[in-house]
Amino acid sequence: MHSNFMRKTGFSSVLAAAAMAGLCLAGTAQAQTVKVTPLGSHDGEFCLFDRAMLLEDPDGTRILYDAGRTVAGADDARLGKVDALLVSHMHGDHVGDRHIPGTGTGACNKPDVSTAVLPDTNTVNIALAKDAAIVTGSEMPKFFAGKLKSLGGDPKKSQLVRFGASRKIGGVTITTVPAVHSNGIAGGMIGGTLGDLLNGAGLTAYAGPPTGYVLTFSNGLVAYLSGDTGVTAEQKTVVGDQYGAELVVMNIGDTYTTGPTEAAFVVNDLIKPASVIPSHANEQATEGGAVVAGSRTDQFMKAVTVPAHLPLSGRTMEFDGDGACVTGC
């Protein structure tokens, strides 16, 4: 390739050498990988409340997605540097109404999530400790800004990105995409008299529509994080056709989100990525690191027509710019 480049151009030997070096460097950059590390309740397993994932760009930008209940607070040693947190919606198992005291506490099918963090939430506490941005859509940014301010943080760290727009954090371009779910803020997250009144009435506060995310990394990888959702037309027209997502993190838990069959339809027929990672299975999906036969996760992995990779807690998977897992899967 490099010799063909020199022959087809009239560059001097110096310019040709510089061009060759540039091409080689570009090839090296393109070969760099995105690291995806699930942060679940039990090392080496995929358990009941596991949603959280840490995604690291080749340039070192680190994004925490749906911290939920399985990140053991801001002091969780697995976190390291965090540049931004994403929250798909305000339900406690995603924003973090409580969390594990440490990895391995309780059982995989019943993790110990006894550490209470309301009304602040696990997400806000982590953002404060890490001096990280919280990037959300809908009406969620105002809520998080208020929380940050009340705790002595910078409300400007809560940043908005709505459908059709984008925001860049380091090497990662972030946009939100529609999800079909609910997105109320529970009274316990608000606190005070208003929170008590909402709880007493069985109501939640308005937070706008829930979201999924599309992330474009510096190596060219495009990843779709579904959040809690059903099947949507945008999964084809926006996620598949417009952005061309090559890696999908798909919630499969049924009842509250797409079930394994519906989620497989999204992957196989609407988005057609190169790889998929199941998430939010609402079950003990593995035992000894192997998928439990007959589980929702097992059904999903058998139904999809692309490689499906188990999100075993603490195991880092690395994906190239085309969405192929090159190590850790």
Side-chain angles (χ1 to χ4, degrees):
M1 174 179 171
H2 294 161
S3 59
N4 287 340
F5 175 83
M6 286 195 301
R7 278 200 308 271
K8 290 180 180 179
T9 65
F11 286 4
S12 69
S13 58
V14 173
L15 290 176
M20 286 171 57
L23 285 174
C24 291
L25 286 172
T28 301
Q30 187 66 19
Q32 291 179 319
T33 58
V34 171
K35 298 177 181 178
V36 179
T37 307
L39 301 180
S41 62
H42 288 69
D43 290 344
E45 303 289 359
F46 179 26
C47 299
L48 179 68
F49 289 134
D50 291 4
R51 287 101 167 93
M53 289 185 180
L54 194 59
L55 301 101
E56 182 174 337
D57 189 79
D59 77 347
T61 303
R62 289 161 67 85
I63 308 289
L64 178 60
Y65 165 58
D66 277 354
R69 297 169 177 162
T70 64
V71 176
D75 295 330
D76 192 320
R78 300 174 297 175
L79 285 175
K81 178 176 76 83
V82 177
D83 296 292
L85 293 90
L86 311 179
V87 181
S88 59
H89 63 293
M90 294 302 303
H91 290 168
D93 58 324
H94 293 260
V95 71
D97 53 356
R98 56 192 192 274
H99 62 73
I100 59 174
T103 56
T105 53
C108 186
N109 64 348
K110 193 177 181 180
D112 174 4
V113 290
S114 58
T115 302
V117 289
L118 292 184
D120 301 332
T121 76
N122 203 16
T123 293
V124 170
N125 289 340
I126 293 169
L128 278 169
K130 302 293 183 180
D131 193 28
I134 304 175
V135 181
T136 53
S138 305
E139 304 303 315
M140 294 183 280
K142 289 184 179 179
F143 174 77
F144 286 121
K147 287 291 185 185
L148 291 171
K149 183 178 181 179
S150 70
L151 295 169
D154 181 1
K156 293 181 180 178
K157 286 284 189 176
S158 179
Q159 300 176 359
L160 170 69
V161 57
R162 288 212 174 111
F163 307 138
S166 65
R167 181 178 290 275
K168 198 160 187 180
I169 302 290
V172 185
T173 301
I174 302 168
T175 190
T176 51
V177 291
V180 177
H181 196 58
S182 57
N183 190 28
I185 302 173
M189 294 180 192
I190 296 169
T193 302
L194 177 57
D196 291 341
L197 288 171
L198 286 169
N199 286 336
L203 298 173
T204 58
Y206 176 70
T211 66
Y213 289 89
V214 172
L215 309 183
T216 303
F217 295 92
S218 64
N219 70 340
L221 176 67
V222 178
Y224 168 54
L225 314 177
S226 76
D228 280 2
T229 188
V231 180
T232 73
E234 289 86 359
Q235 286 163 335
K236 174 172 170 44
T237 58
V238 179
V239 178
D241 294 346
Q242 180 183 350
Y243 288 105
E246 298 116 343
L247 172 64
V248 167
V249 177
M250 191 74 207
N251 293 14
I252 66 166
D254 216 355
T255 304
Y256 306 103
T257 72
T258 47
T261 301
E262 294 85 354
F265 170 77
V266 172
V267 172
N268 295 340
D269 293 84
L270 302 185
I271 303 176
K272 302 177 182 178
S275 298
V276 64
I277 301 172
S279 185
H280 195 292
N282 289 340
E283 65 182 357
Q284 177 179 344
T286 64
E287 186 170 354
V291 68
V292 174
S295 63
R296 284 186 285 271
T297 304
D298 185 38
Q299 295 173 49
F300 173 76
M301 294 181 73
K302 288 177 177 175
V304 293
T305 56
V306 300
H309 307 296
L310 282 170
L312 301 180
S313 179
R315 182 193 67 179
T316 298
M317 299 172 277
E318 298 188 32
F319 294 85
D320 66 18
D322 295 322
C325 184
V326 296
T327 185
C329 296

